[in-house]
């Protein structure tokens, strides 16, 4: 009985030490970095493999969307366009880069361009999921 | 993007979409590498299979 209690105490101490170790510094930094640069939050936490895969997937999807002549939303004149804009903003700095370079400033005329627009929006949404995952890693909610 | 234009078939677009989305889902929704791969493959198969199934449904509705 005494032995098991001792073990539990050790486990609890370990857990507390690990949590306090991960709580140092600005806790939202991986979340913000992950939002601005796809995979950036994971890179910051030295999860190189996961970060590289996330960056390749999200940026790959975004670039393919642009290559399919997808539209990058710039204004919000109705609710559907507003939702698309929110999705696009999820990609972070690549969105700003595209707006500055005038990429994705097209009229959707063909089916593949419509697919491209969806690819761009979904890439943004996937980036938000990845950024939240980095935040969860940072807080110790996920290992 | 300049003169570079990518015009995939519908099925290629579905496969690419499924590949990228399931990679992100696998990494973010599971903790161990093994379970990440399993979940990623599971999502990929579900994406592609449901797209094919829905395509057949729409084909019969259109006739």
């Amino acid at each position: 009985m005494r032995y098991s209690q001792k073990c539990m105490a050790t486990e609890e101490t370990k857990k507390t030490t690990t949590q306090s170790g991960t709580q140092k510094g600005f806790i939202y930094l991986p979340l913000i970095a992950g939002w601005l640069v796809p995979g950036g939050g994971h890179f910051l936490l030295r999860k190189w493999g996961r970060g590289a895969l996330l960056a390749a997937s999200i940026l790959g999807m975004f670039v393919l969307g642009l290559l399919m002549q997808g539209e990058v939303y710039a204004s919000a004149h109705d609710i559907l366009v507003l939702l698309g804009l929110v999705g696009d903003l999820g990609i972070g700095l690549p969105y700003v880069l595209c707006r500055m370079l005038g990429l994705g400033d097209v009229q959707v005329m063909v089916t593949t361009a419509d697919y491209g627009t969806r690819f761009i929006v979904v890439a943004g949404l996937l980036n938000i999921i990845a950024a939240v995952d980095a935040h969860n890693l940072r807080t110790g909610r996920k290992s | 993007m300049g003169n570079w234009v990518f015009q995939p078939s519908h099925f290629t677009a579905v496969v690419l979409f499924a590949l990228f989305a399931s990679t992100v889902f696998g990494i973010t929704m599971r903790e161990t590498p093994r379970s990440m791969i399993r979940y990623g493959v599971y999502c990929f198969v579900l994406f592609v299979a449901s797209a094919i199934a829905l395509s057949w449904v729409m084909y019969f509705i259109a006739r």
Side-chain angles (χ1 to χ4, degrees), chain B residues 10-61:
Chain B
H10 295 194
F11 186 70
T12 310
V14 164
V15 170
L16 285 170
F17 183 95
L19 182 71
F20 293 131
S22 53
T23 304
V24 175
F25 284 176
I27 293 169
T28 55
M29 304 293 170
R30 292 293 181 271
E31 297 208 359
T32 61
R34 192 181 162 83
S35 58
M36 282 176 187
I37 293 169
R38 280 171 64 97
Y39 189 68
V41 171
Y42 172 73
C43 286
F44 179 79
V45 170
L46 272 187
F47 268 127
V48 176
S50 56
I52 292 170
L54 284 171
S55 306
W56 276 106
V57 169
M58 285 188 278
Y59 172 75
F60 285 117
I61 288 172

Side-chain angles (χ1 to χ4, degrees), chain A residues 7-27:
Chain A
C7 266
M8 278 172 69
T10 318
E11 282 298 313
E12 270 178 27
T13 317
K14 245 188 212 173
K15 221 177 195 176
T16 317
T17 316
T18 316
Q19 277 180 351
S20 64
T22 54
Q23 302 274 336
K24 275 183 197 165
F26 184 48
I27 204 162

Side-chain angles (χ1 to χ4, degrees), chain A residues 114-133:
Chain A
D114 197 33
Y115 293 164
T117 306
R118 305 297 154 239
F119 267 53
I120 292 167
V121 172
V122 174
L125 296 175
L126 290 175
N127 192 42
I128 292 171
I129 294 176
V132 171
D133 184 61

